[in-house]
Amino acid sequence: MDDEYMSLEEEEDNCYPSEFDDHDQMCSNAEESDLQHSREPTSQYQWNVDKLFSVYTDQGKDVLFSRAGLTVFDPSLVNTKRKKKEKTRKRKKEKKTRKRKKEEKTRKRKKEEKTRKRKKELKTRKRKKTKKTMKCDICMEEDLSKYAMTRMECGHRFCNDCWKEHFTVRINEDNNMVKWCPSTPHCGNAIRNIKDDGDVDEVECSCGLQFCFSCLSESHSPCSCLMWKLWKKKCEDESETVNWMTVNTKLCPKCSKPIQKRDGCNHMTCKCGQHFCWLCGQATGRDHSYSSIAGHSCGRYKEEKVRQLERAQRDLDRYTHYHYRYKAHIDSLKLEDKLKKSILKKAVLNSETKDQKVFKEYSWIIDAVNRLFRSRRILSYSYPFVFYMFGKELFKDDMSDEERNIKKNLFEDQQQQLEGNVERLSKILEEPFDEYDHEKVVEMMRHLTNLTAVVDNLCKEMYECIENELLGPLISGIHNIAPYRSKGIEQAAEFSASSACGSS
């Protein structure tokens, strides 16, 4: 029996490998974990390999293993869970790190805010500790800061409000001696006129503004104050516009709107529907030809109407002539302000890069620039002077027509000579002297020096003509002008606090 059992066991042992060999392909594709537990399924099916293989192929290894009481082990699931746990731990760690950084940043910001606040408090306490208040000896107001006080050279201190009131009273007491500078915005300077001779004078404030001390307008010599006032008004209002409309338009006899004729016949039609004659301005009918209007005749000569039109045309032409030249020189003056900066830059560059004496001492070109500015300003204001001096607005009965023409020709000759030399002076100053050699710069210096003297002399002669030949013989003394100064308008002395204290 034992022998039979042994022989059967040996037979089974011999068959098992042979059966497994028949199914090498299946066993090679099975997972390693399945092979480790292969004995349990074979025991379940009483070592019937064909039946086991049939269940495996038809129902799958999950059914085969479950019937044998085994659990399928999937390493990928373990790896996935491990990765998920690692990812979760990493995310928690990052979150904790971010939270810790945020808390550190918040603590740092609070610390900085606390430091700034402490510094501000210390600064405030220090400022309060070092701040000194003052007392005004006039209004007796206390706790005034040093910025609200003004100290004189003698040592007295008063508040700015009291000073302002003091200056206002002093200026109102003697309006001819002390005046506020008319600068805009106001510089706050009061100007004292040292000369008490009643003559018109021009001054320059320390802020740089040049103005007439009499009328507080901009410097306008050789115009008198009244001439300049009338000229400004004429340029600003619509007086010359009215003259132009009188000459170039006709009023509609129905709606009174001005109508301008550009071409066509003399029959006009207004927008309101009214028909009228261009020659006489009277209402007409609609029927007309190119040469006549039906039922209308205006062939009669109307002398007064013609004289009125001729006078308006003459006044308009005269004003346009002088205003054009005045405006041209004012514009040139503005452009030459830029030229002045360019010339100074060239002169400084020459003095730094060249060794000759003519380059080091460039006062000759500065004098020429200043002469150009002064003469250009005088020349520009000379045209309003001529407009009123030889017109009939102010001096109609002071000169005969013959005398007026003689004096007008004399003055305009001087004006033209000055204008020509001023333009030559401006042209020479525009030359690129920074590129010239020594000989050419010396020649330019000689030319500018001579021309500057000529322009200065012409300005003197013009003022002498105005004072002696034109305004001097007049009975009226309201047209005084500021005298000519070769070195320019004198800078006025400020009405300072120390002088006020000494004179009070």
Side-chain angles (χ1 to χ4, degrees):
M1 187 67 181
D2 291 336
D3 293 337
E4 184 179 354
Y5 173 79
M6 293 297 295
S7 62
L8 179 61
E9 187 177 359
E10 289 175 359
E11 183 181 355
E12 289 177 347
D13 289 338
N14 292 331
C15 291
Y16 178 76
S18 63
E19 293 290 340
F20 231 80
D21 290 336
D22 294 338
H23 303 284
D24 264 345
Q25 188 174 358
M26 179 194 73
C27 293
S28 63
N29 293 332
E31 295 182 3
E32 183 179 356
S33 59
D34 293 337
L35 293 175
Q36 293 175 356
H37 302 283
S38 58
R39 185 174 297 275
E40 283 78 2
T42 50
S43 299
Q44 178 71 19
Y45 291 96
Q46 298 179 358
W47 297 95
N48 190 339
V49 177
D50 292 334
K51 188 176 182 180
L52 185 146
F53 182 72
S54 176
V55 173
Y56 179 82
T57 55
D58 293 342
Q59 299 181 19
K61 69 177 181 178
D62 293 339
V63 176
L64 178 66
F65 276 60
S66 62
R67 289 179 180 177
L70 299 175
T71 301
V72 180
F73 174 74
D74 191 351
S76 63
L77 295 177
V78 176
N79 293 335
T80 302
K81 289 181 181 180
R82 186 182 298 113
K83 289 180 180 179
K84 189 174 181 180
K85 287 181 180 180
E86 290 177 355
K87 191 173 182 181
T88 302
R89 284 196 301 269
K90 186 177 180 181
R91 186 165 58 250
K92 287 181 178 180
K93 186 176 180 181
E94 290 176 352
K95 186 177 180 181
K96 191 174 181 180
T97 304
R98 286 196 301 268
K99 185 178 180 180
R100 186 171 60 255
K101 289 182 178 179
K102 186 176 180 181
E103 290 174 351
E104 290 177 356
K105 191 174 181 181
T106 303
R107 284 196 298 270
K108 186 177 179 181
R109 185 172 64 252
K110 288 181 178 180
K111 187 177 179 181
E112 291 176 352
E113 290 178 355
K114 191 175 181 180
T115 304
R116 284 197 300 268
K117 187 177 180 181
R118 185 165 58 252
K119 288 182 179 179
K120 188 176 180 181
E121 290 175 354
L122 291 173
K123 191 175 180 181
T124 304
R125 285 199 297 268
K126 185 177 180 181
R127 186 169 60 250
K128 288 181 178 180
K129 186 177 179 180
T130 57
K131 184 178 179 182
K132 295 182 179 179
T133 58
M134 300 179 183
K135 177 182 177 181
C136 177
D137 295 334
I138 297 178
C139 64
M140 305 305 291
E141 186 176 351
E142 298 179 352
D143 298 332
L144 294 172
S145 68
K146 63 179 181 180
Y147 301 106
M149 302 288 287
T150 299
R151 182 183 180 276
M152 298 180 294
E153 295 178 359
C154 60
H156 294 104
R157 294 177 184 269
F158 305 109
C159 71
N160 295 336
D161 291 337
C162 289
W163 271 119
K164 184 177 180 181
E165 185 176 354
H166 172 69
F167 282 133
T168 303
V169 172
R170 289 292 302 275
I171 291 172
N172 291 335
E173 287 177 356
D174 193 354
N175 196 35
N176 295 325
M177 294 294 294
V178 181
K179 292 184 179 180
W180 292 111
C181 173
S183 58
T184 303
H186 186 36
C187 66
N189 292 333
I191 309 299
R192 178 193 290 276
N193 186 12
I194 301 176
K195 302 175 184 178
D196 190 13
D197 50 11
D199 293 339
V200 176
D201 206 351
E202 293 176 336
V203 294
E204 180 179 350
C205 178
S206 60
C207 69
L209 178 68
Q210 297 179 345
F211 64 96
C212 174
F213 196 82
S214 178
C215 65
L216 297 180
S217 298
E218 60 185 276
S219 299
H220 51 71
S221 176
C223 283
S224 66
C225 294
L226 180 58
M227 288 178 180
W228 180 244
K229 181 180 179 181
L230 293 174
W231 179 257
K232 284 183 67 178
K233 186 176 183 301
K234 196 173 189 66
C235 294
E236 292 171 357
D237 63 17
E238 299 180 354
S239 59
E240 296 309 318
T241 303
V242 173
N243 280 341
W244 185 90
M245 292 179 66
T246 302
V247 174
N248 296 281
T249 66
K250 295 289 176 63
L251 297 180
C252 171
K254 182 179 179 181
C255 65
S256 299
K257 290 183 178 179
I259 306 297
Q260 181 184 7
K261 176 185 175 183
R262 296 182 178 177
D263 51 25
C265 64
N266 292 323
H267 178 270
M268 308 298 295
T269 303
C270 180
K271 289 184 177 180
C272 68
Q274 178 64 49
H275 304 277
F276 66 95
C277 175
W278 172 258
L279 297 176
C280 64
Q282 294 182 359
T284 65
R286 181 176 181 180
D287 297 336
H288 70 285
S289 64
Y290 190 82
S291 58
S292 63
I293 302 174
H296 176 74
S297 175
C298 59
R300 294 183 182 275
Y301 181 74
K302 296 182 180 180
E303 185 174 355
E304 183 62 28
K305 188 75 172 178
V306 173
R307 280 202 301 267
Q308 181 183 358
L309 292 174
E310 290 177 351
R311 185 166 55 251
Q313 182 68 59
R314 185 172 60 253
D315 292 343
L316 178 61
D317 292 342
R318 185 169 176 270
Y319 167 76
T320 304
H321 171 82
Y322 289 113
H323 183 270
Y324 175 79
R325 282 153 181 79
Y326 159 77
K327 188 69 168 54
H329 286 293
I330 290 294
D331 293 340
S332 297
L333 196 61
K334 294 177 181 178
L335 293 174
E336 286 164 354
D337 184 44
K338 299 180 180 179
L339 175 64
K340 181 178 181 179
K341 298 176 182 178
S342 174
I343 290 174
L344 291 175
K345 185 177 180 180
K346 293 177 183 178
V348 172
L349 181 63
N350 274 353
S351 67
E352 294 175 349
T353 57
K354 299 179 181 179
D355 298 331
Q356 290 87 346
K357 183 178 180 181
V358 69
F359 297 117
K360 295 295 183 181
E361 299 178 359
Y362 51 86
S363 58
W364 53 274
I365 198 166
I366 302 302
D367 293 339
V369 171
N370 293 333
R371 178 64 56 204
L372 174 64
F373 266 69
R374 294 168 195 150
S375 56
R376 179 76 76 181
R377 185 187 62 82
I378 291 171
L379 187 60
S380 61
Y381 291 115
S382 68
Y383 284 100
F385 171 81
V386 175
F387 180 81
Y388 286 108
M389 185 70 229
F390 304 111
K392 296 184 179 180
E393 290 89 346
L394 298 177
F395 307 106
K396 181 179 181 181
D397 300 327
D398 293 279
M399 292 179 285
S400 63
D401 291 342
E402 182 180 0
E403 184 182 7
R404 181 178 284 105
N405 287 332
I406 292 174
K407 291 184 176 181
K408 178 175 177 290
N409 292 332
L410 174 64
F411 184 82
E412 286 184 343
D413 287 342
Q414 293 181 336
Q415 193 180 40
Q416 289 178 3
Q417 291 181 36
L418 177 61
E419 187 173 26
N421 284 280
V422 167
E423 295 300 339
R424 281 193 287 273
L425 182 61
S426 177
K427 184 178 180 181
I428 294 175
L429 288 171
E430 291 177 357
E431 294 180 5
F433 63 90
D434 56 324
E435 302 175 2
Y436 290 171
D437 56 16
H438 179 261
E439 294 182 359
K440 201 165 184 180
V441 171
V442 171
E443 182 183 354
M444 179 181 177
M445 180 182 67
R446 181 183 58 80
H447 196 178
L448 277 180
T449 304
N450 294 336
L451 191 56
T452 298
V454 170
V455 171
D456 183 29
N457 188 55
L458 288 173
C459 289
K460 290 179 182 178
E461 291 179 356
M462 176 180 285
Y463 272 76
E464 290 175 358
C465 176
I466 292 174
E467 294 173 355
N468 301 328
E469 302 293 335
L470 300 178
L471 293 180
L474 299 179
I475 300 175
S476 175
I478 62 174
H479 293 285
N480 297 326
I481 64 171
Y484 173 72
R485 289 188 174 88
S486 180
K487 294 183 179 180
I489 296 175
E490 185 177 357
Q491 185 169 353
E494 294 184 21
F495 187 53
S496 62
S498 58
S499 62
C501 180
S503 61
S504 58

